[in-house]
Amino acid sequence: MDTVTLSHEQLKKLSYKKLKEVGLSEAHAQKVATILIHADLRNVNSHGVLRTEHYVNRIAAGGIDTAPTISFEQTGKVTGIVNGGDGIGHVVADEATNKAIHLAKENGVGMVTAINSSHCGALSYYVQKIANQGLIGIAMSQTDKIVVPYGGTESFLGTNPIAYGVPAKRNKPFILDMATSNVALGKVLNHKEKNEPIPIGWGVDEKGESVTDPNKVVSLLPFGGVKGYGLAIVVDIFSGLLTGSKFGPHISKMYDDLDQKRKLGHYFCAIDPEMFTNKEQFLEQMDQMMEELRNVPPKKGVKQVYVPGDIEHAIEARNKEKGVTIPTSVYNYLNS
């Protein structure tokens, strides 16, 4: 597969330009491009600039409002709702994150849902933003159906990601961002873009049989069998039912009906450790836990034990120095 390597600043400018051309405001286009580059810097390319073309197509079709009225209603001392006005999800989710941080700093905890949103990108961006404020972050988002329930043959749930961000004193934050499917659909799409086979267990065909050809994937499987299935339901409860949004098979498809508003729901939580324990001690114990985990003797064939977020932090530092590699086809679109 042909690839192109660019600095993350160059790549961000290209994505920003395409988003601005289709009608997003300068601030909104910058925010979306920033979050896409966050993913590419961490080599989570499935949620990076690869998605720009889809957002442009949905905006052009009328499925995303380029000038949304985004509002916030505080419903309690530590709770609130951001109404995204059918705007682009990255901006809506970022606003909900900011409100959760504000409430947590004021009252110790902030829990904010977002409604009338669309696909919001990598959840790691939002929980890392919360962790960088010295708070514990939790984020969940519903997605349209693509995952079969445990023991089923037809998809019902989305990949329904969940993410956590936890600050430390000396170390970079603990970041866990995971789909409740074996993989995110974006990874299958990334392999399709690269014309590369996928591992067994990622996707199944219409008969429920595992396939290696990304073009034959009809549904994904939950990770860990019944455990991932159960967690996927929890995510849909928090980001769907709790927000008054649709759930599972009733959510509009991301890549179909581009002219339809998706009305997605998200959930964000920020927690100040000081409300439960001595914060300085908590941060120091996070460092101790992370460092002790890394010092666990690795088994044969494994270089070392990593803490969630370690590999991505290292990749980000490397990519900032050496550049981000993307498929030539994606570069050609961005540069067109």
Side-chain angles (χ1 to χ4, degrees):
M1 181 194 68
D2 292 335
T3 61
V4 175
T5 300
L6 301 169
S7 72
H8 68 282
E9 294 96 341
Q10 289 175 300
L11 201 54
K12 179 180 175 180
K13 287 178 181 177
L14 289 174
S15 181
Y16 162 79
K17 176 179 67 73
K18 297 298 283 190
L19 294 164
K20 186 77 166 54
E21 286 174 352
V22 80
L24 284 188
S25 69
E26 180 175 348
H28 286 192
Q30 285 283 6
K31 177 55 65 177
V32 176
T34 295
I35 296 173
L36 295 181
I37 293 304
H38 160 84
D40 277 318
L41 279 171
R42 295 161 62 85
N43 275 9
V44 187
N45 305 108
S46 58
H47 286 64
V49 296
L50 168 72
R51 296 286 180 112
T52 304
E53 184 173 7
H54 166 72
Y55 300 138
V56 167
N57 291 340
R58 183 167 281 278
I59 290 169
I64 294 175
D65 192 338
T66 57
T69 298
I70 300 177
S71 60
F72 176 67
E73 176 189 1
Q74 187 165 343
T75 57
K77 192 172 183 180
V78 299
T79 58
I81 303 168
V82 167
N83 188 326
D86 297 313
I88 194 157
H90 307 69
V91 174
V92 178
D94 191 60
E95 179 64 14
T97 299
N98 291 338
K99 295 298 185 184
I101 290 171
H102 174 75
L103 290 173
K105 287 187 173 182
E106 289 286 318
N107 303 300
V109 176
M111 289 185 285
V112 177
T113 59
I115 61 174
N116 296 323
S117 185
S118 59
H119 186 261
C120 67
L123 294 185
S124 57
Y125 176 85
Y126 310 105
V127 295
Q128 182 165 292
K129 185 174 190 176
I130 295 171
N132 286 341
Q133 294 295 313
L135 307 169
I136 298 171
I138 304 171
M140 304 183 202
S141 181
Q142 59 175 190
T143 64
D144 53 284
K145 70 168 190 171
I146 190 62
V147 180
V148 293
Y150 183 76
T153 58
E154 295 181 359
S155 60
F156 185 98
L157 296 160
T159 56
N160 291 7
I162 184 169
Y164 296 86
V166 185
K169 189 172 183 179
R170 297 181 303 276
N171 286 268
K172 288 184 178 296
F174 167 99
I175 302 293
L176 175 64
D177 180 2
M178 52 178 263
T180 50
S181 55
N182 264 340
V183 294
L185 177 60
K187 289 191 176 182
V188 174
L189 297 177
N190 197 34
H191 277 253
K192 185 177 180 180
E193 179 72 30
K194 295 177 180 178
N195 195 30
E196 293 177 353
I198 59 173
I200 287 287
W202 277 23
V204 296
D205 60 19
E206 66 278 355
K207 297 179 181 178
E209 300 294 335
S210 190
V211 293
T212 58
D213 182 350
N215 296 290
K216 294 182 179 179
V217 172
V218 174
S219 301
L220 303 177
L221 291 166
F223 85 89
V226 70
K227 295 180 181 180
Y229 164 52
L231 191 55
I233 297 173
V234 169
V235 171
D236 220 343
I237 291 170
F238 272 77
S239 58
L241 276 63
L242 189 62
T243 67
S245 304
K246 295 179 180 179
F247 65 89
H250 307 287
I251 300 170
S252 63
K253 302 290 286 183
M254 182 169 181
Y255 292 97
D256 293 335
D257 301 322
L258 297 183
D259 60 328
Q260 300 298 309
K261 305 295 194 295
R262 298 198 68 208
K263 307 288 185 182
L264 292 185
H266 317 301
Y267 170 86
F268 301 92
C269 180
I271 303 167
D272 188 348
E274 188 67 48
M275 301 301 293
F276 302 93
T277 187
N278 179 279
K279 190 168 186 176
E280 190 74 7
Q281 177 183 320
F282 174 84
L283 296 175
E284 289 175 353
Q285 284 189 308
M286 275 300 299
D287 281 324
Q288 181 183 353
M289 176 186 284
M290 295 165 81
E291 289 159 10
E292 288 184 4
L293 279 167
R294 295 184 189 112
N295 287 326
V296 170
K299 69 176 185 179
K300 185 178 180 180
V302 175
K303 182 179 179 181
Q304 76 163 86
V305 173
Y306 292 101
V307 172
D310 279 354
I311 294 173
E312 290 83 1
H313 288 314
I315 290 172
E316 180 175 1
R318 183 196 69 196
N319 285 349
K320 281 185 176 179
E321 178 183 351
K322 297 186 176 181
V324 175
T325 300
I326 61 171
T328 300
S329 58
V330 175
Y331 170 74
N332 289 340
Y333 168 77
L334 294 173
N335 201 41
S336 63

